Amino acid sequence: MSSTPFRLALLDSKHDRAAFNSDSEPLNRYLHTQATQDVRRRVAACYVALADEQRIAGYYTLASASVLLNGLPANIGKKLPRYPTVPAVRMGRLAVDQTFKRQGLGGALLADALDRAARAEIAAFAMIVDAKDDAASAFYRHHGFIALPDSPLTLFLPLASVQPSK
Ligand SMILES: CC(C)(COP(=O)(O)OP(=O)(O)OC[C@H]1O[C@@H](n2cnc3c(N)ncnc32)[C@H](O)[C@@H]1OP(=O)(O)O)[C@@H](O)C(=O)NCCC(=O)NCCS
């Protein structure tokens, strides 16, 4: 990760959401206007990397999800029980502020999300992500994610392949 000592925390009202400015306007708007409400309604958990007490350098969201068994690559699906869906954790959003990008923070946030999902007491087969475009998809593939055959901007990573921290 970057030499800047980021602190990971759950999104809180004292964090400065309005100043957050990544390359993605929809992801900025989500943090500015929607994230707090989603957290309150328990439709997403939102974790932030803080550069100081208030400054948000990056964030991601997690929520439970499911994947159609038939949507997985055949070599993986055939090893799973014949239920219509398998449980998953969705990282719905991931963004890094322009000031802090290309310093390893996006990778560190992704690793933190995977660790959290791999340590969770409630089982999930995989983390899934919806890449917003080809560049985001390339970022996830760089980190080992595999695209769903019929939905190439949806990618997954089996959580059994993640070594959880203690
Ligand atoms: C995508 C994003 C989160 C990456 O964050 P970042 O902090 O700049 O990325 P990092 O510095 O942690 O890069 C980590 C690794 O991914 C690689 N990487 C970064 N962006 C990449 C891309 N578009 N394609 C392929 N690899 C990429 C880096 O080379 C680096 O590789 P390394 O670990 O081998 O050195 C950030 O650019 C961003 O917020 N983009 C706008 C929103 C977005 O696209 N979100 C993605 C989810 S839809």
Side-chain angles (χ1 to χ4, degrees):
M1 204 199 317
S2 145
S3 54
T4 315
F6 297 106
R7 184 170 69 82
L8 262 290
L10 279 166
L11 178 65
D12 191 284
S13 58
K14 62 180 178 297
H15 302 148
D16 185 2
R17 288 173 289 123
F20 184 78
N21 185 30
S22 75
D23 288 342
S24 164
E25 198 39 53
L27 291 175
N28 298 340
R29 206 163 44 240
Y30 177 81
L31 189 66
H32 299 165
T33 65
Q34 181 78 34
T36 306
Q37 200 173 80
D38 281 4
V39 169
R40 197 169 52 239
R41 292 178 177 156
R42 291 191 62 87
V43 294
C46 182
Y47 292 90
V48 293
L50 295 165
D52 60 33
E53 281 305 298
Q54 296 183 322
R55 176 100 195 254
I56 299 174
Y59 80 93
Y60 68 82
T61 62
L62 292 182
S64 59
S66 60
V67 192
L68 283 173
L69 184 66
N70 290 340
L72 292 169
N75 64 324
I76 291 178
K78 74 176 185 219
K79 295 181 189 144
L80 293 167
R82 303 276 93 205
Y83 301 133
T85 62
V86 288
V89 173
R90 169 175 274 113
M91 191 170 72
R93 293 172 172 88
L94 166 70
V96 169
D97 188 283
Q98 287 168 355
T99 308
F100 301 98
K101 72 178 196 179
R102 290 281 172 176
Q103 298 175 32
L105 181 56
L109 285 170
L110 182 57
D112 186 73
L114 285 166
D115 183 56
R116 227 173 265 286
R119 279 190 289 114
E121 290 181 2
I122 299 172
F125 166 68
M127 175 166 288
I128 56 171
V129 293
D130 295 305
K132 66 178 180 55
D133 54 28
D134 288 343
S137 169
F139 171 79
Y140 290 120
R141 280 185 276 112
H142 176 85
H143 290 281
F145 280 73
I146 304 162
L148 294 183
D150 297 331
S151 176
L153 287 181
T154 303
L155 300 96
F156 74 99
L157 185 73
L159 287 169
S161 69
V162 176
Q163 183 67 48
S165 64
K166 295 282 181 263

